[in-house]
Structures are given as structure tokens and as C-alpha cells.
Amino acid sequence: MRVTRCEPNEREKLVTSEKNGREQRDATGRRAAAAGAGSGAGGPVDSATEDFVAHRNLLFTVAYEMLGSAADAEDVLQETWLKWAGVDLATVRDRRAYLVRITTRQALNRLRTLGRRKETYVGSWLPEPLLTTPDVAEDVELADSVSMAMMLVLETLAPVERAVFVLREVFDLGYGEIAEAVEKSPAAVRQIAHRARAHVAARRPRGEVSATESREALAAFRRAVETGDLQGLLDILSPDVVLLGDGGGIKQAVLRPVTGAGKVARFMLGGLAKQAAALSLGAAQVNGYPALIVRLDGELDTVLAVRFDEGRITGLYAVRNPEKLSHMHRETALRR
């Protein structure tokens, strides 16, 4: 199936405007960081810079889990730095908590912009994949929280619910700290957390799958695709498997979900067969879990993440939008 490139519309105008703003913020952030680094040992901005750098990976992880977009998470970090650089550190009791609070508020503000962008997005919107460092997979809870499957579950939460769930369940912040970050009372935060947990529990993968099981299932899937083995593909796909594609109106992708093992298998084999000579599949660690990287004539073309439930693949997530693949050229460190 083909998706032709969109003519200039309101979405593209919005993306261009955001890109220009992002470039300006990046330049401002670099100037601010440089000023902090060169302002003299022991100075207040030096201390602010040191704290920010020490917690940067944590702050990025918070922003990414709230937004599902690495590019927007980077923007949030720039905004966090600019606000943090102007804080009187003598008044801050817990600098880590204060930085998380700033990041959370900036991410909540940005979620509104993302919401408008998604309303005019062409086809399915998928989270931006990350080529993660090996230690992310070793932290099972962190890997689960940033997996493509879980990020899609988080997309179904309201913004404040998502923030509360992430800060409580992933980063284990106290209700009082979360209340300050989302500007709610601790009692309200407890209720929000309860609702969010129930919502996520009803939608998350049905059973835990070990890293070994994931690799073996993905290897079987890869062999079946590379050899054109329809039955082998049907054996590893769940009967109710769903394939989602994200081309953003820039690259070819399915506009609507493809459901069912037979349809997904035939679609995968038919689409890859047309360009078999130019395509290559390779394994990678994406969002803490095994995934496949599809290259076309040696160039990164698609990131194919999967969801496993009870030993079979129940979800296939093909990200082709080149604007979402910039973080696949280098490893990203995530922290809790």
C-alpha cells in the first residue's frame, strides 16, 4: 500500500514552526550551558550546570515516557535547563526532585502541542523508537516502561494521568512530590494514580516474556520473513496480531491497522518480496527490547518493534517516518 507525500497543509506549517522554534531553543540552551560552564569555579551557575548534567538522563527518560517523542523530550530538557539556570539554588532543598518537577510541568505543557499535531497526523501515530544502551534491558521495570507496547498504552491515558503513572510507577516518587509536579493535592494524586494503574493493567501485555524468549521469537519471525515461509510466520504470530505502520505521510505505510495472522503474514511477505534484493534485516535493542532494523540499499528504512504475549507476537509496530528515526543512529542512555 502506498501513501503519497502530503501537499503543504496546516500540519506541515505547524511542524515547520515547531522546528524553527526548536532550533532557536537549542541555540539558546547551548549558549546558556556554555555560559554556565565558563562562569568560574564554585559559582551558582556552575553548580546548576553540574546538577543538570548529573540528572540529565533521568530527566530525558521522564520527558520521553510522558511524550513518546525523543525530539520533544530534548526540547523539554532545553526548557528545563533555561528555567533551572534562573533558580536560586539556596532555596532548593532537593535538587533532583526540583528538576523532575520542572521537567514534568514542561512536558505537560508540550503534550498539548503534541495533541494538536496528532489530530492532523497521516495514518497511525507511533512513539519515536530509541536505540537503547544494554543496561536498559537489564533493568526489567525500566525496559517494560519504555517498550513500544507500554508506550502505546500510556498514549491512552489523559496527560495528568500519564504524568502521575510515570512518576509513581516508574520512578517511585512520593505522592507529595508528584502533587507538586502536577499541581494537584496529594489526595487527588492518589485517586489519579489508582485510576491510571487500573487503566494500564487492563491494557498491558498479558504475561511477562523473558529477554531470551523475546530474542528467540524475533529470530523465528526474521527467518520466516527472510525465507518467505508463510507457515513459519503464522506459527509465531498470534491469531489476533495487529500491525501498525507510521510513515507520517512522508514514507509508505499502512494507514489503518492490519489485523489477524493471515492478513499480517501475507502483507509482510508480499511487501518485502517486492524489494527483497535491496532489503536487509538486522537485530537491535530498541526501547529496551529486541527489534528488527530494516535497511533499504544499506540505508535505515524502518524500525520494526514487536509486542510478545505468552510466546507469540501480538503487535508489530513499523516506524518509517524519517523524522522519528534520528535517535536510531546512536545509543540513548535512560535512567530511573
Side-chain angles (χ1 to χ4, degrees), residues 1-4 6 11 64 67-70 114 117-118 120-129 148 152 155 242-258 267-268 300-305 316-325:
M1 297 178 64
R2 285 186 175 273
V3 176
T4 57
C6 300
R11 171 185 172 272
Y64 175 71
L67 300 169
S69 165
L114 272 178
R117 193 189 307 169
K118 291 172 187 176
T120 56
Y121 200 79
V122 178
S124 300
W125 187 96
L126 292 175
E128 188 173 343
M148 193 69 74
L152 282 171
E155 283 292 316
V242 177
L243 166 67
L244 298 177
D246 182 342
I250 300 172
K251 286 289 192 74
Q252 300 174 29
V254 291
L255 291 176
R256 291 175 294 277
V258 179
F267 178 87
M268 293 292 299
L300 176 62
D301 181 80
T302 305
V303 173
L304 186 64
L316 287 162
Y317 314 114
V319 182
R320 302 199 67 213
N321 185 347
E323 295 176 357
K324 291 187 175 184
L325 300 180

Side-chain angles (χ1 to χ4, degrees), residues 272-284:
L272 293 175
K274 294 177 182 178
Q275 304 183 80
L279 284 175
S280 64
L281 276 65

Side-chain angles (χ1 to χ4, degrees), residues 68-185:
S69 165
D72 285 286
E74 293 285 2
D75 284 353
V76 164
L77 258 62
Q78 293 289 352
E79 294 160 359
T80 298
W81 160 255
L82 293 175
K83 289 188 174 295
W84 174 246
V87 171
D88 179 2
L89 298 185
T91 66
V92 178
R93 178 177 54 84
D94 185 336
R95 297 185 181 184
R96 177 183 182 273
Y98 199 100
L99 280 164
V100 170
R101 186 164 70 210
I102 296 175
T103 300
T104 301
R105 290 179 179 175
Q106 296 304 312
L108 282 171
N109 290 337
R110 185 155 286 268
L111 272 175
R112 285 188 280 272
T113 300
L114 272 178
R116 293 195 300 272
R117 193 189 307 169
K118 291 172 187 176
E119 288 174 1
T120 56
Y121 200 79
V122 178
S124 300
W125 187 96
L126 292 175
E128 188 173 343
L130 299 177
L131 186 66
T132 45
T133 52
D135 59 317
V136 174
E138 295 169 4
D139 185 338
V140 177
E141 291 184 357
L142 177 59
D144 176 67
S145 72
V146 298
S147 68
M148 193 69 74
M150 179 56 75
M151 295 292 284
L152 282 171
V153 172
L154 295 179
E155 283 292 316
T156 64
L157 295 172
V160 173
E161 286 181 331
R162 184 167 183 170
V164 169
F165 181 87
V166 167
L167 295 178
R168 180 62 182 172
E169 300 301 315
V170 181
F171 298 97
D172 199 30
L173 266 64
Y175 290 113
E177 291 178 286
I178 300 172
E180 290 184 1
V182 301
E183 299 180 289
K184 301 281 186 182
S185 70

Side-chain angles (χ1 to χ4, degrees), residues 234 236-242 259-262 312-314:
L234 292 173
I236 196 62
L237 296 176
S238 172
D240 58 354
V241 63
V242 177
T259 305
R312 302 184 99 179
I313 295 174
T314 59

Side-chain angles (χ1 to χ4, degrees), residues 18 21-29 75 78-79 110:
E18 290 174 351
R22 180 177 297 154
E23 290 172 351
Q24 292 175 356
R25 287 191 296 274
D26 287 349
T28 302
D75 284 353
Q78 293 289 352
E79 294 160 359
R110 185 155 286 268

